[in-house]
Amino acid sequence: MAVGGRGTLVHGVFGFILGALFATLLGGKPTQLESKIQPVYPTTHLEDELFLGVQSGEIPPKRRPGYVYKSNSYQELYDKTWTQGGYPSQSCWGCRFAVDVIEKMKFHTLLDAGTGNGALVRLMREHGKNAWGIELSRAVLEKECPDMLAKGYVEPGILTNLPYEDNSFDVVFSADVLEHIHPEEADTVIKELIRVSRRNIFMSISLKGHTKETGANDAEAHRHTMLRPRTWWDGKFIEHGAVPNKEMLWAMQERDTSFSREQLRDCRWEGKQDEGGLYEVCIVDNKWLVGRREQENLRRERCITTANNELEPWFFTYRKLR
């Protein structure tokens, strides 16, 4: 080999080593731009499948050893609400967005926490999911889904005392339920939902105190006993071991920045100052479907949280950390 060729080779090797050294030194500390784009939580949908259970069949969830059925102080209220006209027969709040969840999230086993009349469990089973439900009101289960009650697909129970073993469901689902619990129950309910989930928790939680015009008595008009802002709910789930699923929230949550202040009406401040602070909720003219599409339950107005322009239903979705 010629001398000039050897010199070129030596310079090339030296340059490579020097470049690698600089890359190592500089690579150990992210640039200012890299720091800004780092994800808040080191969890992605690519990891979700590692936590899934068996993706076929109809295996019942295992029972927690020593489980004893309990009720609570407001079961009678919801027995009456479901069976005496408070909620329409066969209504299903979560059915409107259930198919979207099926398309966007991989799972087979599902718990509907606060299943009401079991319509969501029935819909999920129609789509081949191994779905189960638990509901405070025994009366609505006996009245509207006695077939599923007899098969054990749904059962009476409370969210502070779930009968299932840890890590029993790919996803825990809940549609406009947690706003109905009492404040002193919140931590226990959140811990129980996280405990029985393998990975995902998908919920809608109402943030509004507005009620139907037909709500005549105080019990009817103030059923939303747990109104807290999104940041408070996120903080509580993080505290108990689950972090926000940013991708799923982005895919599901509807926002609208087009409304002017003059288009907002019946604005109310909700929440509690020392628990997440107060937040404003207003009504806007915005048509939307509630329940199953074939029910054609069209509403002409809906609520919006003005701080972030999020329209109801307000979605909350989390990943359980291990």
Side-chain angles (χ1 to χ4, degrees):
M1 179 181 292
V3 174
R6 286 199 300 271
T8 302
L9 177 61
V10 170
H11 289 158
V13 172
F14 179 77
F16 175 81
I17 294 172
L18 187 62
L21 178 62
F22 273 107
T24 302
L25 292 174
L26 294 176
K29 185 177 181 179
T31 66
Q32 185 177 6
L33 177 60
E34 288 172 335
S35 297
K36 289 182 179 179
I37 63 174
Q38 288 295 314
V40 177
Y41 305 113
T43 55
T44 70
H45 70 281
L46 299 176
E47 300 171 356
D48 291 344
E49 294 187 22
L50 300 175
F51 300 91
L52 300 179
V54 177
Q55 295 297 289
S56 62
E58 194 179 290
I59 303 172
K62 293 183 179 179
R63 311 292 285 186
R64 175 166 57 87
Y67 169 74
V68 177
Y69 166 79
K70 297 178 182 177
S71 185
N72 61 30
S73 61
Y74 49 93
Q75 178 186 340
E76 183 179 358
L77 169 64
Y78 286 95
D79 282 343
K80 291 179 179 178
T81 299
W82 275 108
T83 61
Q84 298 180 20
Y87 294 142
S89 177
Q90 292 304 317
S91 63
C92 180
W93 183 263
C95 290
R96 177 63 183 84
F97 45 84
V99 176
D100 291 327
V101 175
I102 292 172
E103 293 299 320
K104 293 176 172 64
M105 182 179 288
K106 185 170 182 179
F107 66 94
H108 183 60
T109 54
L110 174 142
L111 172 67
D112 186 19
T115 193
N117 56 22
L120 189 281
V121 172
R122 195 182 299 278
L123 177 62
M124 286 290 180
R125 286 183 167 270
E126 290 172 1
H127 284 267
K129 302 302 182 182
N130 188 21
W132 308 81
I134 191 163
E135 167 58 34
L136 169 64
S137 173
R138 181 186 294 269
V140 69
L141 298 178
E142 294 173 345
K143 180 181 179 182
E144 296 199 28
C145 55
D147 58 327
M148 292 201 299
L149 181 62
K151 293 177 181 178
Y153 296 159
V154 296
E155 64 178 296
I158 55 177
L159 301 189
T160 55
N161 182 42
L162 295 177
Y164 317 107
E165 284 191 350
D166 297 0
N167 307 309
S168 289
F169 304 95
D170 295 333
V171 60
V172 171
F173 185 101
S174 183
D176 274 33
V177 173
L178 265 62
E179 69 272 14
H180 297 279
I181 66 175
H182 288 183
E184 64 272 14
E185 300 174 313
D187 285 288
T188 303
V189 169
I190 292 169
K191 285 190 286 188
E192 281 290 271
L193 297 180
I194 295 172
R195 180 182 66 80
V196 301
S197 171
R198 289 194 182 97
R199 179 64 163 175
N200 288 300
I201 300 163
F202 183 90
M203 304 176 294
S204 64
I205 303 175
S206 181
L207 302 179
K208 68 181 182 181
H210 302 72
T211 58
K212 307 175 304 188
E213 293 181 1
T214 56
N217 58 64
D218 187 70
E220 168 74 11
H222 295 93
R223 286 191 307 241
H224 289 190
T225 50
M226 191 65 205
L227 294 175
R228 300 292 185 272
R230 176 178 296 283
T231 52
W232 185 90
W233 287 109
D234 285 352
K236 278 294 178 183
F237 274 86
I238 292 170
E239 177 185 341
H240 295 300
V243 298
N245 182 335
K246 300 287 188 176
E247 308 101 297
M248 192 67 178
L249 180 63
W250 179 87
M252 294 293 296
Q253 182 62 56
E254 186 176 355
R255 294 178 176 84
D256 195 328
T257 60
S258 68
F259 294 105
S260 67
R261 191 71 199 180
E262 289 71 29
Q263 292 174 300
L264 308 179
R265 66 180 190 277
D266 195 10
C267 295
R268 306 181 187 184
W269 289 94
E270 304 291 357
K272 192 175 180 182
Q273 189 65 61
D274 60 347
E275 291 189 15
L278 303 181
Y279 61 96
E280 187 181 41
V281 186
C282 301
I283 293 177
V284 293
D285 291 324
N286 188 285
K287 297 181 179 67
W288 61 311
L289 286 173
V290 177
R292 299 185 71 149
R293 291 175 175 85
E294 58 267 28
Q295 292 177 318
E296 298 182 354
N297 183 3
L298 178 67
R299 295 188 182 181
R300 299 186 177 278
E301 58 186 32
R302 64 205 294 197
C303 284
I304 187 170
T305 46
T306 57
N308 53 18
N309 301 302
E310 291 181 349
L311 290 163
E312 64 173 319
W314 293 282
F315 294 115
F316 294 78
T317 177
Y318 302 97
R319 287 186 173 101
K320 178 178 180 176
L321 297 178
R322 297 283 179 138

